[in-house]
Every structure is written in structure tokens, then in C-alpha cells.
Amino acid sequence: MSAIDYHALLPEIILALTVLVTLVVDIVTRKKYLVAVTAMVGMFAAIIPVLTLAFCGSLEFCTSTGADRVLFGGSYVVDSYSLVFKGLFIFAAFIALLLSVGYLESDRYYEGEFYFLLVASALGAVVMASSRDFVSMVVALELVSGPAFLLAGWRKGDPKSNEAAIKFFISGVLALALLLMGVSMVYGLTGTQQFDQLAAQSASISEMPLFVLGVIFILLGFGFKVSAVPFHFWTPDTYEGAPAPVTAWLSVGSKGAGFVGLLSIAYLAFPAVADVWGPVLWLVAFISMTLGNIVAIKQTNVLRLLGYSSIAQAGFMLAPFGAAAASGSDNLEEAFYATVTYLVIYAVMNLGAFAVVIIIASRVGSFELEDWGGLSSWAPGLAMALAVFFMSLAGIPPLAGWFAKFAMFQATIGVGNWWGYSIAIAAAINAVIAFVYYSKVVKVAFMDPVPAGVDVEALERMETPAPIAFALGLTAFGVILLGIFPGLAANLGEYGAQVVAAFGG
Amino acid sequence: MDWFENGWGLSLIVFLPVVGALAVLAIPKAKESLIKWTALAFSLVTLGLVIALAVQFDYSAADTYQFGTAMDTTWISAINANFYIAVDGISLPMVILAAVITVLVIIYSWNHWPEPHNPKLLLAFVLILATGMTGTFVALDLVLFFVFFEVVLLPMYFMIGIWGDRAIRVVPVVHWKIEMRLYASLKFFLFTLFGSAFMLLAFIALYFKSGEFLDERTWSMIELSDLGSAGVFTGTFAFLVFAGLFLGFAVKVPMWPLHTWLPDAHTAAPTIGSVILAAVLLKLGTYGFIRIAIPILPDEAVSWAPFIGILAVIGIIYGSLACLAQTDMKRLIAYSSVGHMGFIMLGVATLTPIGLNAAIIGMVAHGLITGLLFFIAGSMSHRYHTRDMTRIGGTMVLMPRMGVLLGFAAMASLGLPALAGFWGEFMALLASFDPLPLIGATTTFRVLMVFGAIGTVLTAGYMLYMLRNVDFGEPSKEFADKVLPDVDGYEWLAWSPLVIGIIAIGIYPKLVFGATNEAVVSLLAKAFGG
């Protein structure tokens, strides 16, 4: 084995150091916000090597070893696809940190450890993006989930937070058991757990029932992470009970990591058995979007609503590759592009939605929609931001969400047969259903009266902590920019999808 | 003016209003008059540019796209979507209509603020609407068209939902009680979104199909129309795509039986919302049929034509009968839109130059007339504090000028010759006597013509019914001894352009046909080998 390519590993190394430094800073100072600052500086530092790796070809000092940097005998690969997601996860963690600062200060929770765990979870997601064998992937997955289990229960005094953590933990462990079961079955049959070798070997044994079962177990294990039906039960409860910044991270970082795992496994390890997992994912996508949307209509708590919305959005993201694979399409690149593009846009708009929800809830003191009436009369700016993010989630132009849906429709119709058409039509109807509950939030803010007994002047006087306001501004700008120039997100999607072509998908 | 030729002028026309909206949003809420003047200034400059555009427009070549951006101005490179906008003889009248209505609405709202008072937000929404409407009329790229088509939804949703009618309405079937504005805004949005979702699927299907015949897949309406006239889109594919387009546009028009959002939305919306909805937004649907559905899928247009014609005539009759059953003045005008849009769609369905010209002049005329009617209805309910026609009466006595204007608008609406409304109805009926022979359903269309003619009688019937109740007779006891202010200065300013336009087009329809005729003839010749 040749020398280790430290440049390729630099983001992970920096994040790992950040994890350690946050612990030290936590011990030596009483000013806990310094811990958060440390963590954010770590995020900034970590994004630099991601960029230098991405633009390696045009940088002088960069000694490129080819387009993709393959490490550890193929177990760990840094390519366009993994870089897009590394960038995305670091961005998401950065925003989650910004959201946490004011939130934790206001409620006197343990702070130092919180940031430590959040950075650790982010590290797991970043590792996940490059994992190309099952061992590193399972380790990465647990590094994402383990801290998240703890974070979900951070509000110790609140039974709901405890419930959130317990539910999340139990279903997480169940999913992990399924995943490991599947991995060991596949390993037993093929003798390898590295993706490129699996891709080569799986064609010959794709008919074997045990192998098929193993593949399905693995994919269902990931269904938990992306909160797709039927592993969605934890989602609404955990979203509601966990501290809101943690929920923001779960809905973007942790979910995104799940999608990365799913994409890597489906496209890179088992493209030969696409006719097996394709229909399964088609079904999962269909049920997730329909069930998520219909149940969301009835929700009165914003966090639960976002939980079901997250389930439905997972369905939209799964639709392209379910449809593409189910029909035995050779051209998986379009589907891959659509899902990556969707995830990029979703990350920005969902983080923004959480930012604005956290700010409003901290003023009103409740996540119940009925308490939010008349928001626009005392905080027009916040109400406007709320409308921007929720309408973006609903996919209304000119806000970024439209292009996510557009890419999804494009990929599903591009499949060119009824697997694709049917899911596209289902998604179109679902997009209409989704508007009902997204618009409900906007309606409450703009069209309902202020509830009786609320001191509007006191609410008007309250100020938003600068870090959250910054996160809000950043994501709002992103949503509008990506809505008007969606090419920016599409380019990331295309860049990420190169990996499929490279692997001969 | 070179910058007009290369598309900068048109881009400015499209985006200036949204810049205005941002400017309005940046002004503190307390400076109300500054907000109004800013909004007015932006809309007036836009109108000025539109007039300059109309003056410079080469009417002898109205069938070509003019003042366009370069066809390959990349917008989203990943999907090959371009920022391609231009005007031709069909879109020019629509662009003018949108710009004029925007200015008039802002003038009217000067002293007519619906509750809750929030001029800043309302004017910002009006300006965003202006960008969406104009953009839809000039977009020649399907993705761009889709985005502009959808951009109008949110402002209108807010307009109805925030400033709309607060009366309680019982939802049919489930018997929930809900405020009119909330019910209507959601219904409006869901109907339109449902249609446009399928329209988008159809667009994407066309995009992929075009790749089979061209080197590169395209969203360009021009390239797709070329393919369409070459007859490459056939079979189930073409049928499904047309069905998708039909859903998208027919909801917007709206055609019976997809019209049910319209009476609710028009009635619940604040006055300026109703005006914009009726005058411009409905036309996005008919424009879509003319610009996209017919040229790209001519064969399907032919086979769907009788179906569309029948739905159109059902709309005419149904809308007129529904009008006769109304007691709410605004709701009556709303249903009259269903009928009038039926005439426009009947004209479109004939697929003849006369029919399409009738449709376009009908769109303009309906925009002016129904806009005026909603303005007047709004002003009246502002004074009477009710729209119930069983309670108000004798307007001629109480407010003679208002009464005369209402009479004028009603006459125009029922299609009195020498006023704008006449041409659209008359020519649509004329065209359905002799529809495109390819359709092969001449008898059907002649039957439709007869029913359409009955519809014109019914139209006269409900308009006179409205006049009898509102204008004539003695004022009811409730209002008899009240002094109501007659038409004020702002109202004159906002309405007189509409009145002048109605008379001018009525007497000299070439104002519209001069632009449209050549474009319509060449569009049909290309599609059906004329």
C-alpha cells in the first residue's frame, strides 16, 4: 500500500481534531459559547480542504492523483460525489451550530458536551460520504447516530424529550440489526464487503434468494435513517421531543447521511440487482410521500408537521431511483443527479425552515400552530421568512424547492416507462396535497388573528440572537438565489452524478 | 433604441415591477405615501416602456418574435433551459393589458384600502403579480413559462387570504364553517396547482421526446412548434401530453367543470384582486392554449376540438344560468366570467383565424370590461357596505355617475355592437359556423353556435337583471335618506382608460387585430398547413 494521501483525508482529520479541541475548551473555560465558536472554526477549517480537493485540477500546489482519490485499497474514496456531500454536511452542521447557540443559552442546558456531540455526528456524516465498504459505512453510520441519540434526549426535564431519545434509539438499533444481518448474509455469500468487488460479483448470484434478502435488509436498514415508511415511526415523536436545533440536524445531516449510504449501496455496490431493490424503493417512495403528506395535514404542532413533511420529502427523493432501477434502466445518472440536486436544495430550505421556526417559537413560547396566529402583524420579517421556507418546501416557484421537484419529475419521466410515469403522477398529486399543510402554517401567520391574551408589544420588543439570525439570513438568501438560478444546485447534482458514469452504473 | 432590439427592453419590462416590489418592501411601513408613489412610479415606467415597445413593434411582421433575448441565453445549463423571451402579435396585446391593469389597480387603491390596512405588502404583491403575468406572456421557453405561470399564484393567494371577504361560509359536503377568504384562497391555489403539476409533467415529456428528433433536447416553444407542425408527436404520447396541458390551462381559464374555484376566488378577493384575476390571470390559460397546446400538438388539438368546444358552450350556458340565480353582485360578475371565457374557448376550439382572433380580442375586451365591472362593484360595496342585490337599488338616483358607468360596463359585457365585447362573441359564433375542416365536426360546431347564440341572449338577460336590481327603481328604505359620494377622482382616473379602451376597440377593432391577425394566420398555417 502506498503512502496515505493526507490531502484527501484532511476534512476528516480537521473535524476529528475539532471534536477533541471542543472537549478541551469545554474543560478550561466557563464561557461556553467559546466551545461553539471552536466548533464553528473547525467547520470553516474543514470546508477548505473540501474546496481544494474539488478544484484540485486547477490548483498549483495540488498534486493530483487522478480524478478520484482511492484510499485504503478502495474502501475509502474521495470523488466528486463524496465531496458534494461532505460540503453539504459541513454546511448543515455549521447551520445547526448557529441554531444551537441561542437555543442552549436560553434554556440553561449543558452546552460544551452538546457541541462536542454535534461535531462528532457531523464527522460521521462526512466519513459516510466516502465509505465504500460495509465496515467503514456501519462505523460512520453509528458515528452519526450515536451522538444523535444522546442529543435527542438533551432536554432532560421534559418527558417528551426522553421519549424522543428512547424511540429514536430503539428504532435505530432495530434498523442497525437489520442492516448488520443483511451485511453478514451478503458477506457470507460473496466473501467481500467492498463495494467495487461486490458490484463485480453480485451479477452472478443475483438470483440467489438469500442474497436478495440480504440486499433488501441492508436497504431497509437505511430506510430508518432517511425516515422512509415503514421505518418512520420515530420521526414525528423525535422531531417534536428533541431540541429543535437537533431536529434540524437530524432532518438534514443525519437524513442526508442515510441517503448517501443508500445511494452508495444501491448504485455502487448492487447495480446488478437493481431489478430487486428498484421495485422495493419504488414502493417505499410511493407510500412515504403519500402517507407522510396525508398525515401531515392533521398536525397542529409545527415540529410534528415538519416531521411528516420530512417523511414525504424522503419519498420524493427516493422516487427517481426507485423508478429508474425498477425498470432496469441503464441510465441511472439522471436519477442520481435528481436525488443529489434534491438533497442539496432540501438541505438549505429545511435548515432555514427550522431556523425560522426556532426563532418564532422562542418568542411565542410554543410550537403549537394555534399560538402563532397573527405573526405577520408583530413580526412581518419573520412571517415573510416563514412563508419563503414553507412555500419553498411546497415547491412553489420562484423559491428553490420548485427546482428540486422539477429535477425529480424530470428524472422520473425520463425513465420513459410506466414505473416512471406512475410515480411522477403520484408525486404530482402529492405535491398538491403537500401544499395544504405547508400553506396552513403560512395561513396561520398571515391570515389568522393574534390569539387573545397575547402581549403583542412585548413580543415585538424581543430580539433574535445574532447567530440564529445569521443562519436565517444565509438560508433565506440561499433559497431565493437557488430558486432564481437553480443551475447552481443542478451543477452540484451533475458533478455528484459523475460517479455513476465513472462506475459504469 | 438598440437596447430594445437585443431584449434588454423586454427584460426590463418583465423585471422592473419586481424591483419595484423590493423597493416597496424596503420602505418603512409608516411612510405610506412614499410607498404608494414608489409603486406607482415603477408601474408607470413599466407602462411607458410597454408603450415604447408597442410603438416600435413592427406590425407588418407581427408573426415574428421581436425584441427578444438571444435564443441561447443560458439560464439553467444543466437542463438546457434558456432565458428566452420575445413578443409577437399574439402576446403584445396581452403585455399591454397586463401593464395597463397594473397601473390602474395601483391608482384605484390610492384611497380604497381593503382591511387589514397594509399598503406596503399589498402593493408589493401587485408588483410581483405584474412580473409574473408579463413574464408568462413573453416566455418562449417552457421552463421559464412554467416558473412565471406559477409566480402569480402566491401573491394572489395572499391577496385573497389576507384582504379577502371575512364572511363565514359553510363548505359543501363536510359542513365546516370557514371564513370565505381562507376557503377561497386555498381552493384557488389547490385547483391551479393541480392543473399546473400535470402541465409540468407534459412539458417534461415533450422535452424528452424532442431529443429523439433533434440533436439536443429542447424547451423552446419555437423548436417544439416546428416539430409539432412536422407532425412528429403522435399516438398515446401526444394524447397524454395534450391531456396534461389541457388540465393546466383549462383550470386557469377556467373551463366548465373545472371552474368552481373562480366564483369563490373572485367574490372573496379584495376589489383589486378580483380585477387582476379577471382581467389578466384568466388569460394565462387561454394564452397557453394558443401559444403552446395548439402549435406543438396540432393533431391532438384537432381531435380535442369538439370536446373543448362542447365544454366551452356548456360553460357559456351554465355560467349565464348561474348568474341569473345570484343575489351577490360580485358573484354574478364572477359567473359572467365563466360564460365569457366560454366564448373565448369556443373561438379557440374552431382553430380558424377568425376564431383565434375572436379569442384574443375577446381576452382583451373581457379584461377591460370585467375589470371595470369589478372596480364598480367594489366601489359600490364600499359605499353600500353590502353586495346583496336584493338590498341595494336605485343607484341611478343615489349615485348617478356610478349608475351610468355600471350601465355602460354591463352593456359592453353583454356584447352591444360598437363596444369591445361585441367582437369576441360575434366572431366566435361566426367562426363556429365554419370551423377548421380538418376537425370534421362542422355540424357539431354549428349546433354549438346555436347554443352559443342562446348564451348571448342569456348574457343580456342577467346583465339587465343586474341593472334592474342595482341601477333602476327607487332606493330601498335602508339607503333612501343617505347621501352617498358619487365617483371620486381616483376612480375616474382608474376607470376612464378602461372606458376609452372599450369604446376605442369597439369602434376600431383593428387596434387589436392589427397586431394579432398576421400572427394568428401564420400560427395556424404552420400548424395545419393552412
Side-chain angles (χ1 to χ4, degrees):
Chain A
M1 191 184 284
S2 57
I4 293 173
D5 183 354
Y6 284 107
H7 186 189
L9 286 176
L10 208 50
E12 286 85 345
I13 293 170
I14 291 175
L15 284 176
L17 286 176
T18 311
V19 170
L20 297 176
V21 174
T22 47
L23 270 187
V24 175
V25 174
D26 182 32
I27 294 169
V28 297
T29 177
R30 283 189 174 277
K31 293 174 183 161
K32 296 302 178 193
Y33 68 87
L34 285 179
V35 188
V37 172
T38 316
M40 282 183 223
V41 170
M43 292 296 161
F44 259 118
I47 202 84
I48 293 168
V50 171
L51 293 175
T52 58
L53 284 166
F55 297 103
C56 195
S58 51
L59 293 175
E60 246 176 59
F61 64 88
C62 185
T63 49
S64 178
T65 52
D68 301 338
R69 292 154 176 270
V70 181
L71 295 94
F72 308 122
S75 295
Y76 203 83
V77 177
V78 178
D79 52 15
S80 60
Y81 156 62
S82 64
L83 284 173
V84 169
F85 278 103
K86 281 178 198 206
L88 189 68
F89 293 141
I90 293 172
F91 170 75
F94 179 68
I95 298 284
L97 282 170
L98 285 174
L99 298 183
S100 310
V101 178
Y103 184 88
L104 291 171
E105 275 176 356
S106 67
D107 279 354
R108 298 167 171 272
Y109 297 117
Y110 292 116
E111 277 196 60
E113 296 85 344
F114 183 96
Y115 302 123
F116 156 73
L117 288 171
L118 196 57
V119 178
S121 188
L123 173 61
V126 169
V127 171
M128 185 80 141
S130 281
S131 298
R132 294 292 189 274
D133 70 6
F134 279 121
V135 171
S136 60
M137 185 159 279
V138 169
V139 170
L141 185 68
E142 287 316 287
L143 191 52
V144 177
S145 304
F149 295 146
L150 294 171
L151 290 172
W154 213 250
R155 292 163 53 223
K156 282 189 291 188
D158 185 350
K160 281 204 166 166
S161 188
N162 291 310
E163 184 192 345
I166 291 286
K167 264 205 174 155
F168 188 29
F169 178 65
I170 290 177
S171 33
V173 169
L174 174 70
L176 180 67
L178 273 180
L179 174 64
L180 288 174
M181 176 87 174
V183 168
S184 40
M185 284 154 98
V186 170
Y187 180 64
L189 289 170
T190 59
T192 179
Q193 39 91 27
Q194 201 163 309
F195 292 168
D196 48 356
Q197 293 171 20
L198 276 171
Q201 291 190 25
S202 58
S204 58
I205 54 167
S206 63
E207 302 288 306
M208 203 181 282
L210 194 61
F211 176 72
V212 170
L213 200 63
V215 173
I216 291 178
F217 274 178
I218 292 170
L219 293 176
L220 290 186
F222 276 98
F224 155 78
K225 288 256 69 152
V226 304
S227 56
V229 177
F231 294 100
H232 65 285
F233 289 106
W234 62 276
T235 313
D237 292 328
T238 305
Y239 275 38
E240 186 189 356
V246 174
T247 310
W249 168 251
L250 286 181
S251 75
V252 174
S254 164
K255 186 196 191 91
F259 264 103
V260 170
L262 212 50
L263 286 168
S264 299
I265 291 176
Y267 286 113
L268 306 180
F270 300 123
V273 277
D275 54 337
V276 174
W277 55 261
V280 175
L281 288 186
W282 187 97
L283 199 66
V284 168
F286 176 75
I287 300 176
S288 297
M289 63 172 92
T290 312
L291 193 86
N293 276 330
I294 289 175
V295 182
I297 294 177
K298 284 249 159 199
Q299 301 309 315
T300 56
N301 180 299
V302 184
L303 290 176
R304 287 189 82 82
L305 188 143
L306 281 170
Y308 282 104
S309 136
S310 162
I311 296 170
Q313 300 275 0
F316 286 135
M317 290 182 231
L318 286 170
F321 63 111
S327 54
S329 166
D330 296 333
N331 186 13
L332 294 175
E333 207 175 336
E334 290 258 351
F336 200 90
Y337 147 81
T339 305
V340 175
T341 309
Y342 203 120
L343 265 167
V344 170
I345 292 174
Y346 170 80
V348 180
M349 63 188 179
N350 216 39
L351 286 170
F354 273 102
V356 71
V357 162
I358 289 170
I359 296 175
I360 297 170
S362 72
R363 295 204 190 180
V364 180
S366 155
F367 286 99
E368 290 297 326
L369 271 177
E370 56 183 16
D371 298 329
W372 286 24
L375 177 71
S376 68
S377 64
W378 54 268
L382 282 180
M384 197 72 94
L386 188 75
V388 164
F389 291 118
F390 276 76
M391 288 298 107
S392 178
L393 282 167
I396 311 295
L399 304 166
W402 80 269
F403 191 74
K405 293 239 161 54
F406 185 94
M408 184 265 297
F409 283 132
Q410 198 192 344
T412 45
I413 290 191
V415 168
N417 60 30
W418 278 103
W419 286 104
Y421 298 151
S422 52
I423 200 91
I425 291 171
I429 294 171
N430 264 296
V432 180
I433 301 175
F435 181 78
V436 175
Y437 62 87
Y438 289 128
S439 75
K440 191 165 82 173
V441 179
V442 175
K443 182 210 84 172
V444 168
F446 278 90
M447 304 171 197
D448 282 0
V450 180
V454 172
D455 182 3
V456 172
E457 283 179 9
L459 287 174
E460 267 176 351
R461 274 199 304 275
M462 290 173 84
E463 281 180 11
T464 306
I468 302 191
F470 178 64
L472 182 70
L474 201 63
T475 44
F477 177 71
V479 164
I480 292 169
L481 185 74
L482 289 178
I484 298 170
F485 300 106
L488 301 171
N491 290 342
L492 284 179
E494 277 196 327
Y495 182 62
Q498 286 171 4
V499 70
V500 180
F503 271 75
Chain B
M1 287 197 272
D2 280 343
W3 53 281
F4 245 112
E5 294 298 329
N6 58 24
W8 277 102
L10 195 56
S11 309
L12 210 55
I13 288 171
V14 173
F15 291 111
L16 206 53
V18 86
V19 175
L22 293 177
V24 164
L25 286 176
I27 300 172
K29 207 172 181 175
K31 297 185 176 168
E32 224 166 79
S33 64
L34 181 62
I35 289 174
K36 291 178 190 170
W37 282 108
T38 311
L40 184 65
F42 273 95
S43 65
L44 276 176
V45 172
T46 311
L47 180 63
L49 286 171
V50 169
I51 291 171
L53 183 88
V55 170
Q56 298 221 336
F57 188 80
D58 181 0
Y59 291 90
S60 60
D63 56 335
T64 55
Y65 294 104
Q66 303 181 22
F67 308 118
T69 52
M71 208 166 176
D72 53 354
T73 313
T74 306
W75 174 40
I76 313 173
S77 60
I79 57 169
N80 196 24
N82 296 318
F83 180 74
Y84 183 32
I85 56 173
V87 284
D88 72 345
I90 297 174
S91 45
L92 184 65
M94 298 294 118
V95 172
I96 298 173
L97 181 68
V100 169
I101 294 289
T102 308
V103 172
L104 299 187
V105 155
I106 292 174
I107 293 175
Y108 178 81
S109 58
W110 217 263
N111 63 344
H112 295 82
W113 292 107
E115 286 301 314
H117 191 82
N118 189 348
K120 178 171 158 175
L121 206 54
L122 189 61
L123 288 175
F125 285 141
V126 168
L127 290 169
I128 297 172
L129 272 170
T131 287
M133 299 183 299
T134 319
T136 313
F137 290 133
V138 297
L140 289 175
D141 179 283
L142 289 180
V143 183
L144 199 61
F145 178 89
F146 169 76
V147 169
F148 281 127
F149 194 80
E150 299 279 280
V151 162
V152 300
L153 295 185
L154 271 186
M156 191 43 80
Y157 169 76
F158 281 114
M159 225 185 244
I160 301 173
I162 299 177
W163 291 276
D165 188 353
R166 286 165 187 262
I168 301 291
R169 178 188 162 108
V170 181
V171 182
V173 188
V174 286
H175 301 293
W176 291 331
K177 285 192 176 144
I178 179 170
E179 277 183 51
M180 192 68 202
R181 60 190 173 112
L182 303 178
Y183 173 73
S185 57
L186 187 59
K187 192 172 178 183
F188 159 75
F189 209 118
L190 289 183
F191 267 70
T192 323
L193 195 61
F194 178 80
S196 58
F198 285 96
M199 180 185 86
L200 178 61
L201 294 187
F203 284 178
I204 295 174
L206 281 172
Y207 169 71
F208 278 108
K209 198 72 173 180
S210 71
E212 294 177 20
F213 309 104
L214 299 172
D215 298 338
E216 202 175 11
R217 294 168 183 162
T218 182
W219 300 101
S220 156
M221 291 183 199
I222 298 173
E223 286 177 345
L224 285 169
S225 304
D226 289 342
L227 288 178
S229 62
V232 299
F233 302 124
T234 51
T236 320
F237 169 81
F239 177 82
L240 288 173
V241 168
F242 197 92
L245 296 178
F246 177 81
L247 264 183
F249 299 141
V251 167
K252 200 87 184 180
V253 172
M255 296 190 71
W256 186 90
L258 301 168
H259 68 280
T260 66
W261 63 268
L262 179 136
D264 290 319
H266 279 54
T267 314
T271 303
I272 60 169
S274 308
V275 171
I276 295 177
L277 251 180
V280 190
L281 289 202
L282 302 186
K283 278 74 191 180
L284 301 185
T286 38
Y287 177 80
F289 273 109
I290 296 173
R291 171 70 75 215
I292 297 174
I294 293 174
I296 297 180
L297 297 161
D299 296 342
E300 286 301 314
V302 165
S303 47
W304 282 66
F307 173 68
I308 293 176
I310 290 168
L311 288 187
V313 170
I314 295 178
I316 296 172
I317 303 285
Y318 177 91
S320 309
L321 291 177
C323 280
L324 285 169
Q326 299 307 318
T327 54
D328 182 330
M329 187 173 162
K330 243 178 137 180
R331 215 173 169 80
L332 185 147
I333 302 171
Y335 269 112
S336 85
S337 282
V338 177
H340 285 116
M341 294 313 280
F343 278 108
I344 293 171
M345 284 313 296
L346 181 63
V348 171
T350 62
L351 301 177
T352 56
I354 299 179
L356 254 60
N357 272 319
I360 296 168
I361 200 169
M363 281 150 76
V364 175
H366 178 259
L368 300 176
I369 297 168
T370 313
L372 183 57
L373 278 171
F374 272 120
F375 268 138
I376 297 173
S379 283
M380 281 191 167
S381 67
H382 198 72
R383 291 167 169 81
Y384 287 118
H385 300 288
T386 178
R387 301 187 306 256
D388 188 345
M389 292 190 291
T390 58
R391 284 172 61 197
I392 48 183
T395 304
M396 279 298 202
V397 178
L398 291 167
M399 299 179 279
R401 296 195 181 89
M402 184 86 80
V404 168
L405 277 174
L406 179 67
F408 171 80
M411 287 303 142
S413 182
L414 64 79
L416 197 71
L419 294 178
F422 169 71
W423 297 107
E425 286 190 13
F426 169 72
M427 285 170 56
L429 294 176
L430 189 68
S432 46
F433 183 78
D434 203 9
L436 186 74
L438 264 179
I439 302 173
T442 307
T443 329
T444 315
F445 270 93
R446 286 183 183 169
V447 174
L448 291 179
M449 183 188 77
V450 173
F451 279 103
I454 296 173
T456 59
V457 179
L458 290 173
T459 308
Y462 66 73
M463 277 300 164
L464 294 174
Y465 155 77
M466 181 182 80
L467 285 184
R468 187 200 66 191
N469 276 343
V470 177
D471 256 12
F472 305 128
E474 286 301 311
S476 61
K477 274 189 192 140
E478 200 179 338
F479 302 105
D481 46 358
K482 288 211 172 109
V483 180
L484 296 171
D486 209 335
V487 182
D488 67 27
Y490 294 108
E491 286 167 341
W492 277 123
L493 214 54
W495 298 351
S496 45
L498 295 175
V499 174
I500 294 168
I502 291 168
I503 297 174
I505 292 175
I507 295 173
Y508 192 63
K510 199 158 181 280
L511 282 176
V512 178
F513 294 145
T516 61
N517 188 40
E518 206 171 331
V520 164
V521 169
S522 107
L523 183 147
L524 290 170
K526 204 168 142 195
F528 305 108

